[in-house]
């Protein structure tokens, strides 16, 4: 009769390998879950910023509508606080300066979102008054690319720019901003050209 060899001791190597694999899978699934959550939040924030930008455009439209509706051009030579119009713009100001927003007008609060748009219109001139005063310096452009001017179209943006044979167009910058309820801030600008 043959005797069987004694049973071998089990070493149990499969159990630790499986536990390591399960740990790696658990960490990977947590990372994927967080990644998909961050992607969702990023997409939501981008959509929110886009909605704020569209809301801020209402300020640009209001400023443009005012400039378009002015029939007496002399009104544009001085500040019009009720309309958010400032006849000058200091070149060193940016939208982050508090002085930039002096004279701004608030549009009515949007009842659906609670957001409020603020806008201001600046004439790009150093001083109030006529654009062609000796001491005044305004940003001007030829009325049309083919208009008769002593200099080519576009060169009027330089300091000491040319004198046009016809009346040039003066630059007005309309700036609108909105501070969203969730901390989003959007500032948009548009340049409007209008004859003196």
């Amino acid at each position: 009769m043959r005797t069987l060899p004694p049973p071998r001791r089990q070493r149990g190597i499969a159990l630790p390998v499986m536990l390591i694999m399960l740990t790696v899978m658990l960490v990977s699934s947590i990372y994927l879950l967080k990644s998909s959550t961050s992607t969702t939040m990023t997409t939501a924030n981008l959509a929110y910023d886009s909605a704020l930008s569209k809301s801020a455009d209402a300020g640009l439209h209001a400023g443009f509508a005012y400039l378009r509706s002015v029939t007496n051009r002399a009104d544009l030579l001085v500040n019009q606080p009720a309309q958010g119009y400032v006849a000058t713009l200091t070149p060193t100001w940016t939208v982050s300066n508090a002085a930039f927003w002096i004279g701004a007008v608030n549009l009515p609060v949007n009842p659906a979102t609670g957001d409020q748009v603020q806008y201001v219109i600046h004439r790009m001139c150093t001083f109030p008054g006529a654009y062609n005063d000796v001491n005044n310096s305004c940003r001007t452009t030829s009325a049309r690319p083919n208009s008769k001017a002593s200099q080519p179209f576009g060169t009027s943006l330089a300091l000491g720019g040319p004198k046009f044979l016809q009346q040039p167009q003066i630059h007005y910058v309309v700036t609108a901003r909105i501070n969203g309820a969730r901390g989003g801030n959007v500032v948009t600008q548009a340049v409007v050209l209008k004859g003196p």
Side-chain angles (χ1 to χ4, degrees), residues 134 136-140 150-151 155-164:
V134 175
N136 207 354
S137 174
C138 295
R139 296 285 183 188
T140 56
S150 57
Q151 297 288 328
T155 59
S156 65
L157 297 178
L159 280 175
K163 296 187 183 201
F164 297 101

Side-chain angles (χ1 to χ4, degrees), residues 2 20 22 25 38 57 74 110 113 126 142 170 173 178 181 187 195:
R2 221 169 103 184
I20 290 170
L22 284 173
M25 289 174 58
S38 331
D57 284 348
N110 183 340
T113 61
T126 310
S142 174
I170 299 171
V173 63
I178 185 170
V187 176

